[in-house]
Amino acid sequence: GELGRAAAAETGHAAPAASVPALAEAPGAISYTALTAHRRCVYRFYAQRVLGLPEQEPPPGSAAERPGAVVEPGGLDARVRGVVVHALLEELDLAAPAAPRPDRIRALAQAESAAADEHDVEAVQRLVAAFSASPTGRRLAAARRVRREHEIAFELRPGAGPLLVGVIDALGVEDDGTWLVVDFKTDRLEDPGAHLEPLVERDYGIQRRLYALAALRAGAPCVEVVHLYLQDAHRAPSATFTAADEPALTAELERLAGPLARGEYPLTEDPHVELCGTCPARGNLCPYPPELTDRPRSAPPQDG
């Protein structure tokens, strides 16, 4: 399949960036991002993606923030820093990793209509260096074949749909045949000492399953999906899947995609400020009162 052909790129060479919008705009295409947004609160999904309403400013002094990167002093916002780091990791020579040049960091920031100051440059260099020094980075460097920024698309039920789409940050085929799928995370860790697995399952469980199923459908005998938080790159939560897991993965993704395909938009059962703070429906269309939409998010359960 397409994913298998993509894995034929040689280790250390970045693949051209995929045309993500082309697939994302295909009729009936559902991305992991859409699935996740729909699962978190389909009422917000409806307000933003169906009605096209703009986000609003979060409550003053709240903990609401957009998904993004490690917060450091500097001029770049979280989103831009994440874009810059991902671009640099796509370019990185895995066989001989070197610190990204300050002028390259500034150029990437400028492409996002932003300016990177000295603090930003140092923060970005630290995140890239953390990847290079991590066990996951070394595994990718040693893989037989590597593909980066690889676009995926497959039908959940072959011949019946829906079409699921996404982009894998890095895909490596290891000597034992394992397909190593890596997703780079520049998210700020509120508690760096906390267990990361519950965080991944809460925030990226759908992504993990979609990537695993895509690899298995493309012929992977075994796929390991790693979420690499660059703030703590030596601890990399991962989950491993084989062909025996394919029916369960298909059934779970069908359960999640079904309401979206049917146009169902019920309210979330867990409103909190990180989800609701910028929601277009907060305070007007949404029936939840401010004491629920503006409350802090509960922490994920910790491993025993």
Side-chain angles (χ1 to χ4, degrees), residues 1-9 144-147 150-153 168 171-173 179 214-221:
E2 181 186 353
L3 191 62
R5 291 194 298 273
R144 294 201 312 257
R145 296 181 295 276
V146 170
R147 177 82 177 193
H150 173 58
E151 189 178 72
I152 59 174
I168 292 175
L171 166 66
V173 179
W179 288 30
L216 292 171
R217 290 280 182 85

Side-chain angles (χ1 to χ4, degrees), residues 11 94 130-143 174 180 234:
T11 300
L94 297 177
F131 163 76
S132 301
S134 70
T136 303
R138 292 194 293 269
R139 285 179 66 182
L140 281 172
E174 299 187 289
L180 177 64
H234 285 270

